[in-house]
């Protein structure tokens, strides 16, 4: 497969992932599917990991990857000024940007899963307040602890599901960006179309 063709495939996958991450983060602003005050929403939601890191920031490398096909080895045969090497090198930079963005979302999601959701629960003084009732991710292995959250209803599975999805999708984005970084490096080194194994003879595919 051509270097640009591979990049285009990665870009096609990254765009829906970025959209899904953005939607997941937006849904987290409505804990348990309800509208709550700002102070009642988990702090990690306000870090915008899915909206910025795996969302908006991911569109830049995705669009660059999609456009690389036009500068691919098969489309540049016989044209020494097509900028093939530079195009592939620039994709490495954007892949790094995407990797950092997805990594940010991955870390935020991991912290959110470890801390658990912010909810209306009773503390040791028998006073009911909005707080983080779980410690060190203990609720992940003990479902009975979920009853500590009295409100919003279903807040624990809501946060757990959405942050888990963000964790998985941002992890996938990191892998895809890493693949493009390697692909871009190969494309940068392999400036001649024949080296990429895309074109044969007089430039035919």
């Amino acid at each position: 497969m051509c270097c640009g063709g591979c990049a285009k495939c990665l870009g096609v996958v990254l765009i829906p992932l970025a959209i899904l991450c953005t939607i997941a983060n937006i849904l987290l602003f409505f804990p348990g599917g309800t509208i709550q005050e700002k102070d009642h929403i988990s702090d990690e939601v306000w870090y915008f990991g899915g909206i910025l890191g795996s969302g908006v920031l991911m569109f830049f490398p995705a669009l660059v990857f999609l456009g690389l096909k036009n500068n691919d080895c098969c489309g540049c045969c016989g044209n020494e000024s097509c900028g093939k090497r530079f195009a592939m090198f620039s994709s490495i930079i954007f892949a790094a940007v995407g990797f950092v963005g997805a990594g940010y979302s991955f870390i935020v999601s991991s912290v959110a899963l470890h801390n658990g959701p912010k909810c209306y629960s009773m503390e040791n003084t028998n006073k009911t307040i909005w707080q983080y009732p779980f410690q060190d991710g203990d609720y992940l292995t003990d479902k009975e602890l979920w009853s500590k959250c009295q409100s919003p209803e279903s807040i624990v599975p809501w946060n757990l599901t959405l942050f888990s999805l963000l964790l998985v999708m941002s992890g996938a984005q990191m892998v895809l960006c890493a693949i493009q970084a390697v692909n871009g490096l190969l494309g940068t080194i392999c400036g001649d179309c024949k080296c990429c194994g895309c074109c044969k003879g007089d430039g035919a595919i």
Side-chain angles (χ1 to χ4, degrees):
M1 177 180 287
C2 297
C3 302
C6 177
K8 182 177 181 179
C9 293
L10 296 176
V12 169
V13 177
L14 283 174
I15 288 181
L17 283 176
I19 295 174
L20 290 174
C21 286
T22 301
I23 294 174
N25 200 149
I26 292 175
L27 289 175
L28 284 166
F29 283 102
F30 305 93
T34 62
I35 298 177
Q36 298 290 334
E37 297 180 12
K38 179 180 179 180
D39 294 339
H40 296 170
I41 299 175
S42 299
D43 294 339
E44 292 79 14
V45 178
W46 295 99
Y47 296 160
F48 300 106
I51 295 177
L52 295 179
S54 290
V56 175
L57 197 61
M58 193 57 60
F59 280 106
F60 293 102
L63 293 176
V64 170
F65 298 166
L66 288 173
L68 283 178
K69 182 63 177 177
N70 297 328
N71 291 319
D72 190 46
C73 44
C74 293
C76 301
C77 289
N79 186 352
E80 296 180 357
S81 61
C82 65
K84 168 71 170 62
R85 290 179 185 271
F86 177 78
M88 295 308 295
F89 176 75
S90 66
S91 75
I92 300 177
I93 299 176
F94 279 95
V97 172
F99 187 89
V100 171
Y104 171 71
S105 179
F106 187 89
I107 293 174
V108 170
S109 299
S110 299
V111 173
L113 289 173
H114 179 267
N115 293 338
K118 190 176 187 178
C119 61
Y120 193 63
S121 61
M122 183 176 294
E123 61 178 4
N124 296 331
T125 59
N126 293 327
K127 180 181 179 182
T128 306
I129 59 173
W130 286 88
Q131 62 176 338
Y132 292 92
F134 307 116
Q135 297 180 351
D136 300 327
D138 53 359
Y139 74 103
L140 294 173
T141 56
D142 189 355
K143 193 173 181 179
E144 294 183 359
L145 293 177
W146 294 9
S147 60
K148 288 185 176 182
C149 283
Q150 301 176 15
S151 178
E153 185 178 356
S154 303
I155 178 60
V156 178
W158 181 271
N159 271 37
L160 182 59
T161 299
L162 292 174
F163 274 119
S164 294
L165 287 174
L166 280 174
L167 186 73
V168 172
M169 290 189 291
S170 60
Q173 290 175 328
M174 291 172 65
V175 172
L176 293 176
C177 287
I179 291 175
Q180 177 51 33
V182 175
N183 181 53
L185 180 61
L186 293 176
T188 302
I189 298 175
C190 175
D192 182 76
C193 60
K194 295 181 181 179
C195 294
C196 292
C198 304
C199 308
K200 298 179 181 180
D202 58 357
I205 297 176

